[in-house]
Amino acid sequence: MDYYLSPTHTQRFDLEIKNSQFITTVCRTNGRDAAKAFIEETRQRYPDANHHCWAFIAGMPHNAHLWDQSDDGEPKGTAGKPMLNVLQHSNFGETTVVVTRFFGGVKLGAGGLVRAYSQAVQEALSQTKYENVYPRCPVQLKIAYPLLGKVEYWLEHSDIEITNKTYSDSIVIDLAVIERTWPEHKVTLTDLCQGSLTLIEPDNA
């Protein structure tokens, strides 16, 4: 699959199991710092809760360096790990889930906790409003000044993002291109400039 899913906004889902309330909050987070900031924000929103268990995949789904999880006081392995397992099998990326538990007086046992936290995340993700995110890679475009107007116009109507421009004897435009659509766009861009351009791109772009 050449894309992954990511929440469009912060979303909350409630679940009650044997008098315990499980509040699952799902948020789009790009990077560990953003994920940790969201977790702390959720803690502050529900300061009286017994547990704030969490898991995140804070980048593309396959990037294990941006995975993490916590049981936050629940028995080891009964909350964070099963939550992360659900995330790993969901094709969600740039996503943090926090399950806030208000204990209802009935102990669930280790197996019950695993099922409860897994269910909370599964149900939340099944209802989460999301968008498709297409991985991008950097490409640098170098053109002469007379070409700038029509190149900018074309770029604005494409799925390519302009990340920076540098003006010197020529114009260097830094682009973020979608891997899937770049080969076709590259041909169009080359034709538009009648071959009068220089492209610096990674080997896989």
Side-chain angles (χ1 to χ4, degrees), residues 29-49:
T29 51
N30 188 355
R32 283 181 168 273
D33 289 346
K36 293 294 181 71
F38 169 66
I39 293 163
E40 184 56 35
E41 177 186 313
T42 307
R43 287 183 186 279
Q44 294 176 9
R45 188 179 302 123
Y46 306 106
D48 299 330

Side-chain angles (χ1 to χ4, degrees), residues 57-178:
I57 296 177
M60 290 187 286
H62 65 266
N63 186 355
H65 296 292
L66 293 176
W67 299 351
D68 208 348
Q69 51 82 22
S70 170
D71 296 312
D72 192 44
E74 293 282 31
K76 185 176 181 180
T78 61
K81 188 174 181 180
M83 289 170 62
L84 181 59
N85 184 58
V86 173
L87 261 183
Q88 289 170 327
H89 290 85
S90 68
N91 197 37
F92 270 82
E94 296 181 36
T95 302
T96 298
V97 290
V98 180
V99 177
T100 299
R101 183 188 182 194
F102 289 88
F103 181 55
V106 179
K107 292 186 177 181
L108 302 181
L113 287 171
V114 170
R115 287 190 294 274
Y117 281 100
S118 297
Q119 181 183 348
V121 177
Q122 285 170 345
E123 292 195 8
L125 292 180
S126 72
Q127 300 173 68
T128 294
K129 294 181 180 179
Y130 63 84
E131 62 182 358
N132 296 341
V133 180
Y134 294 86
R136 293 179 180 269
C137 58
V139 170
Q140 199 170 75
L141 167 66
K142 186 176 180 180
I143 57 172
Y145 278 83
L147 293 171
L148 180 60
K150 65 178 181 180
V151 167
E152 279 188 323
Y153 180 82
W154 183 82
L155 289 171
E156 287 170 4
H157 293 81
S158 74
D159 58 17
I160 297 173
E161 293 179 2
I162 299 174
T163 58
N164 190 45
K165 292 179 191 172
T166 305
Y167 299 90
S168 56
D169 56 330
S170 59
I171 302 169
V172 177
I173 306 175
D174 293 317
L175 308 174
V177 304
I178 297 174

